Amino acid sequence: MILYPAIDLKDGQCVRLLHGDMEKATVFGDDPAAQAAKFEAAGCEWVHLVDLNGAFAGEPVNAAAVEAILARIKVPAQLGGGIRDMATIERWLSKGLARVILGTVAVENPDLVRQAAREFPGKVAVGIDARNGRVATKGWATETEVMVTDLAKSFEDAGVAAIIYTDIMRDGAMQGPNIEATEALARAVSIPVIASGGVSSLPDLIALRDTGVIAGAISGRAIYDGALDLTAALTALKA
């Protein structure tokens, strides 16, 4: 299982939100590229990036910070937030991003996801963010009636590289991930599932890994707070 350290970008800074609320942002640093370099130096195989402003605006907002990160590190990076048309997808991939994460458009324009996955094999992931099993879009501000598993299954034949599943009520709360729901999703589809939201300790990571079906886990606040020792986590996951 791969550990994806998260860099959430708001106004060019590294932040973490509580339950996706932009008014509840904790700033962890003003040099995202330096933070990404630290993750790479620690042995991380990937870096997970989120353009928080972009998720609300519907277009990239923290592009300068993302480009600085891509220029600084050699490990692959994936990015979500405000990527809602083919031109933006093409632009990011041409700048060296390894994978784009499509969230809102997966609900509103699934054909775009399918087209992108065909044109860029292995470089398109679907981000599914949920409250109580229902999908939320537009930076989690809009709740839909779409069920998580139904949305995931609709992309079974699309060729997407991964599904990133976030339980919004766990995100940034340091209360552990929703292992049961994440495992159920991973067993329901053949697409690799990456867990996000609430991954806050080594036991959390081990529990996710030990399901045997979860491909990765994203953690942010716990790494910055020191609750999750990055070196110990990477060593444990390699064991």
Side-chain angles (χ1 to χ4, degrees):
M1 191 178 77
I2 296 171
L3 174 61
Y4 295 77
I7 297 179
D8 289 5
L9 299 163
K10 179 176 184 278
D11 307 329
Q13 296 178 308
C14 296
V15 306
R16 289 301 288 168
L17 306 185
L18 178 62
H19 300 157
D21 187 340
M22 288 287 266
E23 300 303 312
K24 295 177 181 174
T26 303
V27 177
F28 284 102
D30 55 10
D31 190 344
Q35 183 61 63
K38 284 182 187 174
F39 288 150
E40 182 178 50
C44 294
E45 299 171 53
W46 276 82
V47 176
H48 174 78
L49 310 175
V50 182
D51 182 347
L52 292 169
N53 303 98
F56 286 91
E59 60 185 15
V61 175
N62 286 286
V66 175
E67 288 176 22
I69 290 168
L70 295 177
R72 187 82 170 263
I73 62 174
K74 292 185 172 64
V75 294
Q78 60 185 18
L79 171 70
I83 305 173
R84 296 182 193 165
D85 57 52
M86 190 58 81
T88 306
I89 293 167
E90 290 174 346
R91 186 163 70 248
W92 276 126
L93 293 176
S94 72
K95 289 180 181 294
L97 198 70
R99 189 188 284 163
V100 294
I101 303 164
L102 305 180
T104 295
V105 292
V107 177
E108 298 184 350
N109 187 3
D111 287 343
L112 174 69
V113 177
R114 294 173 180 280
Q115 180 189 353
R118 276 196 309 272
E119 292 192 22
F120 304 105
K123 294 181 179 291
V124 176
V126 170
I128 301 181
D129 308 324
R131 279 190 191 91
N132 303 315
R134 287 183 166 77
V135 178
T137 61
K138 296 185 173 67
W140 303 349
T142 303
E143 293 200 27
T144 72
E145 292 302 310
V146 180
M147 300 304 289
V148 169
T149 305
D150 292 341
L151 182 62
K153 284 183 173 178
S154 73
F155 292 112
E156 276 280 40
D157 60 347
V160 300
I163 288 172
I164 294 162
Y165 171 64
T166 304
D167 185 313
I168 294 169
M169 298 316 292
R170 303 293 184 106
D171 192 68
M174 300 287 287
Q175 293 171 350
N178 190 334
I179 295 172
E180 186 179 348
T182 309
E183 180 180 359
L185 177 62
R187 292 191 185 282
V189 296
S190 60
I191 306 164
V193 171
I194 298 169
S196 175
V199 180
S200 51
S201 68
L202 190 53
D204 287 345
L205 284 175
I206 299 303
L208 288 167
R209 182 198 67 187
D210 287 352
T211 64
V213 291
I214 295 171
I218 294 165
S219 186
R221 178 180 291 272
I223 296 173
Y224 297 109
D225 281 351
L228 180 61
D229 182 288
L230 198 51
T231 304
L234 293 170
T235 301
L237 291 180
K238 284 189 172 72

